[in-house]
Amino acid sequence: MLIYNKKKSHLSENQVTPESVYLQRRQILQGLGLGLGAAALSAPASAGLFDALLGSKETKEQGAKEVIASTEPLTFSQPKAYQLDIAPTAEGVATTYNNFYEFGADKSDPARYAQQFKTKPWTITISGEVEHPQTIDVWAWLEKQQLEERIYRHRCVEAWSMVIPWLGVPLSSIIKAAKPTSKAKYVAFETLYDPKQMRGQSSRFVGGGIEYPYVEGLRLDEAMHPLALLAVGMYGKTLPPQNGAPVRLVLPWKYGFKGIKSIVNIHLTDKQPPTTWNKLASYEYGFYANVNPKVDHPRWSQATERVIAEGGLFGSGRQPTLMFNGYEDEVASLYQGMDLRKFY
Ligand code: MTE
């Protein structure tokens, strides 16, 4: 994030799909009898269809065509509780404006440098305070999962936001299966460490000075909350590498940095685990990192956010930030009695 000198975002107006164009695309797909999760068309075919019907240059211009082609369509349900009345951010934006420091500190680096990232085979270990430690073969496991689409607000601590249609399963399902012991109070997560594949891990300059592997953590009750999602896809398909393939966390009431990507280890413990950004700058990034418009970052306000999907031609581009990112009713009870200025 903004500790190190970073170039300004390269996002330009033509990278933003106005809502009208997004809705037009949706209508065209519906007219053709295809939903968002249209498995009838292969992903590359549907991307080509968008371009042919609407003359969109967005994916070509950003090299996102390759991104879309490397993902696979998924089958999923769309529970009403997790749909939003807001148009999701354009896919071409959400897959090219990323934070994934293992591939570089610039927003455009992950899409540029992660395309050769090997996500098959992939295993996740679940260890520590559990009765059934396990090693999960992710792709075999995925075949048995009933995926849900959850359209969540996505708020980065850098004060920008998007709306993303994720696909995944509740994080609680994988934790329950391992049977936490009574000592388990926290859950620690770790990203793959592979400097040969991740250029940022072999150079402090490229990787933003982070000590790798990237690590994150939650209290066990936060991890078991129904909103906490173990995501394997977005926009109807498997995750592209720059968004954290093959498995990442999505915690919509917290700042985006808690959403650790490309997870290989989940460890249950009785102690609060270290987290990457807290280790780097504890006065700026706390363990909890709940979205809170009343608690500013030491160097900028968190009261409003730049809406990436609506920037550029349409709308003001800024909106007020909501307490717990709009999920207050669901999660406030987790933090009852806590001083949220102290536990930021
Ligand atoms: N996970 C890893 N392993 N490395 C990272 O650099 N960046 C975090 C989070 N997960 C990051 C990570 C930050 S700061 C944000 S805002 C989100 O991923 C961005 O997710 P997105 O690129 O899908 O929008």
Side-chain angles (χ1 to χ4, degrees):
M1 283 155 309
L2 305 178
I3 293 183
Y4 298 89
N5 254 349
K6 291 206 298 155
K7 289 175 220 154
K8 276 195 180 152
S9 140
H10 290 162
L11 198 70
S12 60
E13 284 188 353
N14 66 2
Q15 287 177 283
V16 176
T17 299
E19 188 176 336
S20 56
V21 173
Y22 172 82
L23 292 174
Q24 197 184 349
R25 286 177 175 176
R26 235 185 161 151
Q27 275 160 15
I28 289 169
L29 283 180
Q30 277 161 3
L32 290 168
L34 305 168
L36 251 189
L41 271 187
S42 71
S46 58
L49 184 69
F50 287 146
D51 291 349
L53 289 170
L54 296 162
S56 164
K57 289 191 196 135
E58 141 196 319
T59 51
K60 275 184 208 137
E61 279 169 7
Q62 296 169 49
K65 213 156 196 128
E66 290 79 5
V67 171
I68 290 169
S70 68
T71 54
E72 295 160 29
L74 290 168
T75 305
F76 53 89
S77 64
Q78 294 176 304
K80 274 217 175 79
Y82 300 113
Q83 303 300 304
L84 272 187
D85 268 352
I86 318 172
T89 303
E91 182 180 358
V93 175
T95 56
T96 53
Y97 185 87
N98 299 105
N99 279 333
F100 200 168
Y101 281 74
E102 284 86 336
F103 293 102
D106 193 277
K107 293 282 182 287
S108 60
D109 285 342
R112 185 173 303 141
Y113 296 110
Q115 297 314 305
Q116 304 307 317
F117 185 53
K118 269 182 68 183
T119 57
K120 282 182 191 174
W122 194 276
T123 53
I124 297 183
T125 60
I126 307 187
S127 58
E129 290 298 340
V130 287
E131 282 174 29
H132 302 309
Q134 7 201 307
T135 300
I136 295 171
D137 172 338
V138 164
W139 295 101
W141 166 84
L142 183 54
E143 278 176 23
K144 292 180 229 136
Q145 302 309 304
Q146 299 198 326
L147 302 179
E148 290 180 4
E149 182 184 63
R150 297 194 176 189
I151 306 183
Y152 280 161
R153 294 186 197 86
H154 178 46
R155 171 65 157 78
C156 179
V157 75
E158 296 164 343
W160 54 261
S161 70
M162 298 189 193
V163 174
I164 313 269
W166 301 106
L167 304 175
V169 296
L171 173 62
S172 63
S173 65
I174 201 171
I175 295 178
K176 269 187 212 151
K179 290 223 157 103
T181 69
S182 58
K183 282 193 188 157
K185 299 279 179 286
Y186 294 90
V187 190
F189 302 86
E190 199 174 285
T191 293
L192 179 72
Y193 181 70
D194 186 352
K196 285 207 179 93
Q197 289 202 76
M198 295 168 141
R199 59 197 281 276
Q201 290 181 337
S202 54
S203 153
R204 280 183 76 78
F205 178 70
V206 174
I210 287 177
E211 183 194 326
Y212 292 104
Y214 194 101
V215 288
E216 256 309 332
L218 294 170
R219 261 183 4 210
L220 182 59
D221 59 342
E222 295 181 302
M224 299 305 280
H225 192 279
L227 284 176
L229 189 72
L230 203 54
V232 295
M234 62 198 291
Y235 297 92
K237 293 160 285 185
T238 51
L239 290 170
Q242 63 271 33
N243 290 89
V247 181
R248 68 172 291 173
L249 270 193
V250 178
L251 306 157
W253 72 99
K254 292 181 177 285
Y255 291 120
F257 68 85
K258 298 292 290 182
I260 182 171
K261 296 177 169 181
S262 306
I263 297 168
V264 289
N265 293 318
I266 299 178
H267 188 81
L268 282 83
T269 160
D270 58 346
K271 290 183 194 67
Q272 182 175 304
T275 59
T276 286
W277 287 98
N278 185 253
K279 282 195 291 182
L280 206 57
S282 58
Y283 52 95
E284 301 199 334
Y285 308 107
F287 174 79
Y288 284 92
N290 292 317
V291 176
N292 190 338
K294 290 182 221 136
V295 178
D296 287 338
H297 185 277
R299 287 180 286 124
W300 60 85
S301 164
Q302 294 291 21
T304 64
E305 61 205 36
R306 186 164 63 97
V307 184
I308 304 278
E310 293 171 3
L313 289 175
F314 291 80
S316 69
R318 285 202 91 80
Q319 69 182 18
T321 289
L322 302 172
M323 187 63 201
F324 294 114
N325 203 22
Y327 300 94
E328 186 169 10
D329 288 351
E330 291 92 330
V331 301
S333 60
L334 289 173
Y335 311 104
Q336 227 164 20
M338 282 174 67
D339 178 351
L340 298 180
R341 288 190 177 275
K342 192 168 161 208
F343 298 102
Y344 55 94

